[in-house]
Amino acid sequence: MTLFDGIVARMVKTPRLAVNILERSGDDPATPEERTVVFVHGNVSSSLFWQEIMEDLPGDLRAIAVDLRGFGDSETAPVDATRGLRDFADDLRATLTALHLNSVHLVGWSMGGGVVMQYALEHPVRSLTLQAPVSPYGFGGTRRDGSRLTSDDAGTGAGGANADFVARLAAGDTSADAATSPRSVLRSSYVSPEYATAQEDVWVASMLSTKTGEDNYPGDSVTSTSWPGFAPGGRGVLNTMAPKYFNVSSIVDIVVKPPILWVHGTADAIVSDASSFDLNQLGKMGIIPGWPGDDVAPPQPMVSQTRDVLEAYRAAGGGVIELQIEGAGHAPHLERPGVFRRALLQAIGYIKPANEAAPPTEAIILKSED
């Protein structure tokens, strides 16, 4: 009941693990790579979230969505957080290799945006579409220039996960009885308050496919002498984005620069300059006691960091388009599917860009209220 009409699932065997992918039943496996689009989901989700946009793409494109390890129906394998997001990026490479694909268009959402940026550091890519991506400097614990606040990244990683949310994930809770239930978190954090859909049960099922534990979500943590008293361990999903393990700002320096589309909403509760998932922001708001102040523990300016790195990417010769969608939350492809689809088709060169006169290295900011 979670697969939409025309969407099929199959398991791809790789030397690393068995990976579940979604495809459209009518797509031609012989479709050229320049017309192949691969979607990578974010944290606490799966490929199921991509089905609507996959259905809406033109029929002469090939659309593939991948389940990362420990999510969806892919094999559950430990996540080595000390490698940042490389376990996921390496799994993606193994999957594409098994599908006889080398250079395709990659679309990454949230954590998946970090995965595809990590992938692009080591492998050829035709284009990158980053939807509400994790900052190139990781999640939490950095100043605007990417410098780390503490030597152990206090306040980032698995220790910041809500224990009741994790327990409800593990129990398969489909209710909206508590603010920490997956359905309630979907409504409050993944999308804007105005979003409504008949597919909510599918999105919740996708969230509940997350494998929990210290090797997967959220991971392990260690104590810290710095506020708020914990730091990331070396295992599990949330620790992969701790700044000591994850930093893809060197994407600026890759020689062959794929064009980048950056899509984000102004009402994003997760990735923003005042994220409600950033422990320092919660301390500043008085939700977590003992916050030592902006000089010691400032909130991470996530969107500003991404803009800075992509501006440097543009200055180094790469093409960048920023699409800022007014009022959209963390999932613009769900909330503004027409706007997202049009921008994606432009990014992959399927239709002409909105501003044909702009040189490929010009920074174009499109603000949409559609």
Side-chain angles (χ1 to χ4, degrees):
M1 297 296 292
T2 58
L3 292 182
F4 294 1
D5 289 343
I7 303 293
V8 295
R10 68 181 171 108
M11 199 68 71
V12 177
K13 300 290 187 179
T14 81
R16 295 177 57 81
L17 77 168
V19 176
N20 183 66
I21 67 170
L22 300 187
E23 300 173 289
R24 300 187 299 185
S25 58
D27 285 359
D28 183 357
T31 300
E33 290 183 338
E34 60 266 25
R35 291 205 167 185
T36 299
V37 184
V38 177
F39 297 88
V40 182
H41 64 82
N43 195 13
V44 192
S45 64
S46 75
S47 60
L48 294 176
F49 269 97
W50 292 117
Q51 292 182 94
E52 288 182 333
I53 192 66
M54 292 173 69
E55 286 184 323
D56 288 344
L57 291 181
D60 56 346
L61 295 177
R62 185 182 184 190
I64 300 168
V66 177
D67 280 339
L68 300 175
R69 65 168 62 193
F71 298 94
D73 289 328
S74 284
E75 183 178 342
T76 301
V79 176
D80 181 356
T82 66
R83 303 188 69 233
L85 291 171
R86 289 181 181 87
D87 273 358
F88 297 124
D90 290 350
D91 292 346
L92 178 60
R93 182 61 179 179
T95 305
L96 296 183
T97 299
L99 294 172
H100 307 292
L101 296 170
N102 181 40
S103 180
V104 299
H105 301 283
L106 292 180
V107 182
W109 174 29
S110 194
M111 183 181 77
V115 173
V116 301
M117 283 189 279
Q118 181 66 59
Y119 183 99
L121 290 178
E122 301 174 3
H123 307 290
V125 175
R126 293 186 181 274
S127 72
L128 289 176
T129 295
L130 309 174
Q131 177 181 248
V134 61
S135 163
Y137 299 115
F139 198 93
T142 57
R143 302 175 185 86
R144 181 162 177 170
D145 64 359
S147 58
R148 293 161 59 199
L149 300 179
T150 65
S151 60
D152 62 355
D153 296 335
T156 73
N162 183 287
D164 192 58
F165 174 67
V166 176
R168 289 174 182 272
L169 275 179
D173 180 10
T174 62
S175 76
D177 295 340
T180 51
S181 75
R183 189 179 300 272
S184 296
V185 171
L186 171 73
R187 294 173 179 175
S188 66
S189 302
Y190 282 40
V191 294
S192 63
E194 293 75 21
Y195 174 74
T197 177
Q199 308 299 343
E200 186 175 82
D201 287 347
V202 178
W203 309 154
V204 173
S206 178
M207 296 173 71
L208 291 174
S209 74
T210 302
K211 308 308 185 295
T212 59
E214 289 193 336
D215 281 326
N216 296 103
Y217 182 85
D220 63 340
S221 66
V222 297
T223 59
S224 173
T225 56
S226 299
W227 186 88
F230 68 84
R235 301 155 60 194
V237 174
L238 289 187
N239 296 325
T240 62
M241 293 172 281
K244 66 177 176 179
Y245 300 139
F246 177 77
N247 184 329
V248 291
S249 60
S250 59
I251 194 170
V252 170
D253 301 319
I254 61 176
V255 177
V256 179
K257 293 179 168 60
I260 293 178
L261 168 65
W262 173 31
V263 182
H264 61 105
T266 60
D268 193 333
I270 298 176
V271 176
S272 79
D273 284 359
S275 169
S276 59
F277 286 68
D278 182 349
L279 273 290
N280 289 352
Q281 176 66 24
L282 296 179
K284 186 171 185 175
M285 296 168 62
I287 296 173
I288 299 177
W291 181 63
D294 275 321
D295 290 342
V296 176
Q300 181 190 13
M302 303 175 186
V303 172
S304 295
Q305 288 177 334
T306 297
R307 185 172 289 116
D308 290 347
V309 170
L310 293 185
E311 173 60 21
Y313 185 89
R314 182 208 62 78
V320 176
I321 293 178
E322 176 184 352
L323 174 58
Q324 178 179 283
I325 303 180
E326 188 69 30
H330 192 57
H333 74 291
L334 298 181
E335 300 176 62
R336 307 288 197 277
V339 175
F340 182 86
R341 175 184 182 274
R342 184 168 64 249
L344 174 60
L345 292 177
Q346 291 175 3
I348 68 175
Y350 188 87
I351 60 176
K352 293 180 180 179
N355 188 350
E356 292 183 75
T361 57
E362 181 174 338
I364 306 172
I365 300 178
L366 305 174
K367 294 185 179 181
S368 175
E369 297 181 1
D370 294 356

